[in-house]
């Protein structure tokens, strides 16, 4: 009986052990399955986060380079994002050889390297900026003076409606073609057209605010802003360029108003114009360089306007622009600036300045390889006229060397849409003579 009881106890123990082992195996399997499920959940979370990061950092789905809202194609990418950070930029390098002036040395300049940084906070709030490095370094060298680092524009856009959006910050002034859209693949010529440098003083940016938008199904685009005015103490015989304040602790005693309208009656044709008006004296009193007495800078109301048009079809490109500037009280301003030493005693600020250009280009590669070719090869010609001494105030003498004609003949090759290689000859003439012709080579890119 005792033996039987012992055997029964042993059998019961084995049964319990077997039952416990059977229960342990599913527990381990369940723990392993839980671990696998947790790892799968972590992978899904990381994948979702990676997708969000990629969406916020990457280019828009449509890679085509299209300008939007008064911004160049590289700076316009941020508007195509769902949300987050956009990075773009452009650059250009220029080689120049001068004819007719032996004292002028050839130059090879890392002209501009530019970074666009934008951030789309929401569908309605967008920050956009352009940071430009000119001439490779901010230090002077044995060969040349300082380069510069500048913020060309920095704005907050409030996207309200297609036809009415608000913008505030350091604004590019909407005038002409290249002041807002100045990436080298999007204008012909190694150098920017002279009338859009000396009459319209690109690159021209000022602090301000205003509205922009599209009308009539995007066939009309407008911008209208109030900005700080010019500083007339920077005007000279060469034009208005020295009066730009560029957002640098800008004097705002005098403000100005500027607006631009562009109309596309067809997909191939664009016509437009812009106007600017504002006083430029900024309520300043400067010291006379000879007597040490205070000299009041006149109000110098400044008006600047331009009209432009462009037509592109079948590989043919036609573009033209005419612009004029008026400085009221230019005689009084000249007297004041001569007294303060801001201009040379022989210089005169003109009452009227004008300029314009017409250009033609044609992409010849489709003729050779058909419409499927992705590269372009375009010979071009541009005629430019610039006169910053067109009308001189009574009793003053103008400078004939500031009246210049340019004939620009060149060739442009784009292996891809983002990259351009250009070469041209600028044949120059002046009422005052003594201007050199140039042979130029340029390389540019945008992304």
């Amino acid at each position: 009986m005792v033996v039987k009881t012992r055997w029964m106890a042993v059998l019961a123990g084995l049964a319990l052990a077997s039952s416990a082992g059977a229960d342990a195996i599913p527990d381990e399997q369940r723990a392993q399955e839980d671990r696998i499920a947790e790892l799968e959940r972590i992978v899904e979370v990381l994948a979702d986060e990676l997708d969000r990061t990629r969406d916020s950092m990457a280019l828009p789905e449509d890679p085509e380079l299209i300008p939007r809202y008064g911004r160049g194609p590289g700076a316009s990418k941020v508007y195509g994002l769902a949300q987050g950070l956009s990075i773009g930029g452009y650059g250009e390098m220029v080689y120049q050889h001068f004819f007719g002036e032996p004292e002028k040395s050839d130059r090879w300049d890392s002209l501009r390297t530019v970074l666009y940084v934008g951030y789309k906070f929401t569908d309605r709030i967008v920050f956009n900026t352009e940071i430009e490095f000119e001439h490779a370094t901010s230090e002077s060298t044995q060969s040349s003076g300082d380069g510069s680092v500048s913020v060309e524009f920095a704005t907050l856009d409030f996207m309200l409606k297609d036809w009415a959006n608000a913008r505030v910050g350091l604004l590019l002034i909407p005038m002409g073609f290249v002041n807002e859209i100045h990436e080298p693949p999007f204008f012909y010529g190694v150098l920017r057209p002279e009338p859009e440098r000396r009459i319209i003083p690109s690159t021209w940016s000022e602090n301000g605010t205003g509205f922009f938008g599209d009308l009539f199904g995007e066939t009309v685009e407008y911008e209208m802003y109030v900005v700080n005015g010019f500083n007339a103490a920077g005007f000279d015989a060469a034009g208005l360029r020295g009066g730009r304040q560029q957002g640098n602790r800008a004097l705002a005693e005098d403000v100005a108003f500027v607006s631009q309208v562009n109309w596309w009656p067809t997909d191939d044709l664009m016509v437009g114009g812009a106007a600017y008006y504002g006083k430029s004296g900024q309520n300043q009193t400067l010291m006379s360089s000879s007597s040490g007495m205070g000299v009041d800078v006149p109000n110098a109301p400044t008006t600047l306007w331009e009209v432009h048009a462009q037509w592109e079809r079948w590989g043919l490109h036609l573009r033209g622009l005419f612009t004029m500037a008026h400085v009221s009280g230019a005689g009084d301003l000249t007297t004041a600036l001569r007294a303060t030493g801001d201009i040379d005693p022989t210089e005169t600020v003109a009452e009227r300045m004008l300029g314009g250009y017409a250009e033609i280009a044609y992409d010849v590669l489709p003729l050779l390889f058909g419409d499927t070719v992705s590269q372009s090869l375009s010979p071009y010609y541009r005629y430019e006229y610039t006169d910053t001494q067109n009308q001189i105030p009574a009793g003053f003498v103008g400078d004939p060397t500031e009246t210049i004609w340019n004939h620009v003949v060149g060739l442009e090759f784009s292996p891809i849409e983002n990259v351009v290689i250009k070469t041209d000859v600028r044949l120059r003439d002046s009422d005052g003579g003594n201007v050199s012709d140039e042979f130029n080579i340029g390389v540019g890119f945008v992304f």
Side-chain angles (χ1 to χ4, degrees), residues 96-99 104 189-195 197-198 380 382 384 386 404-410 423-429 435-440:
Q96 291 184 278
H97 173 72
F98 300 95
F99 301 94
K104 293 191 74 170
V190 175
L191 303 175
R192 298 170 182 177
E194 283 289 297
R197 292 185 61 252
R198 300 180 61 214
Y380 59 86
R382 182 168 67 240
E384 304 173 357
T386 308
I404 298 175
W405 294 265
N406 291 332
H407 297 271
V408 185
V409 182
T423 182
D424 60 39
V425 175
R426 290 209 308 171
L427 304 175
R428 314 183 73 209
D429 193 14
V435 291
S436 59
D437 298 330
E438 303 170 8
F439 170 69
N440 303 309

Side-chain angles (χ1 to χ4, degrees), residues 259-302:
S259 62
Q260 182 181 65
V261 177
N262 290 320
W263 174 43
W264 283 263
T266 70
D267 290 341
D268 309 316
L269 175 64
M270 184 269 281
V271 294
Y276 169 100
Y277 174 79
K279 294 180 180 180
S280 305
Q282 299 296 346
N283 196 26
Q284 297 178 84
T285 298
L286 304 177
M287 299 304 295
S288 169
S289 57
S290 57
S291 67
M293 302 290 290
V295 177
D296 292 334
V297 177
N299 286 331
T302 303

Side-chain angles (χ1 to χ4, degrees), residues 169-186:
L170 180 61
L171 313 174
L172 285 171
I173 301 300
M175 298 202 80
F177 287 105
V178 302
N179 197 55
E180 289 190 306
I181 302 174
H182 42 253
E183 295 97 330
F186 304 107

Side-chain angles (χ1 to χ4, degrees), residues 362-389:
Y362 187 73
D363 182 8
V364 301
L365 287 188
L367 293 177
L368 303 175
F369 302 104
D371 294 334
T372 58
V373 66
S374 59
Q375 294 86 12
S376 67
L377 180 66
S378 303
Y380 59 86
Y381 167 74
R382 182 168 67 240
Y383 170 76
E384 304 173 357
Y385 173 69
T386 308
D387 186 359
T388 60
Q389 298 276 276

Side-chain angles (χ1 to χ4, degrees), residues 79-192:
Y79 299 108
L81 294 180
Q83 189 175 353
L85 182 67
S86 171
I87 296 177
Y90 77 90
E92 54 187 321
M93 181 179 291
V94 173
Y95 169 81
Q96 291 184 278
H97 173 72
F98 300 95
F99 301 94
E101 291 188 57
E103 68 276 9
K104 293 191 74 170
S105 300
D106 293 356
R107 295 286 183 179
W108 196 340
D109 189 14
S110 183
L111 186 56
R112 294 180 180 92
T113 304
V114 173
L115 184 65
Y116 293 126
V117 179
Y119 196 87
K120 194 169 189 179
F121 297 96
T122 70
D123 288 341
R124 295 190 178 277
I125 303 177
V126 180
F127 172 73
N128 210 350
T129 189
E130 175 184 347
I131 302 170
E132 181 169 300
F133 300 81
E134 289 192 347
H135 309 297
T137 177
S138 60
E139 298 181 1
S140 62
T141 66
Q142 188 66 32
S143 303
S144 189
D146 300 347
S148 67
V149 180
S150 301
V151 176
E152 295 288 349
F153 71 81
T155 60
L156 270 176
D157 293 347
F158 298 89
M159 314 304 290
L160 307 175
K161 299 287 185 180
D162 290 341
W163 55 272
N165 306 291
R167 176 171 286 164
V168 62
L170 180 61
L171 313 174
L172 285 171
I173 301 300
M175 298 202 80
F177 287 105
V178 302
N179 197 55
E180 289 190 306
I181 302 174
H182 42 253
E183 295 97 330
F186 304 107
F187 65 88
Y188 286 96
V190 175
L191 303 175
R192 298 170 182 177

Side-chain angles (χ1 to χ4, degrees), residues 2-22:
V2 174
V3 174
K4 183 177 180 180
T5 301
R6 289 177 177 175
W7 276 107
M8 290 178 66
V10 170
L11 291 174
L14 291 173
L16 288 172
S18 176
S19 176

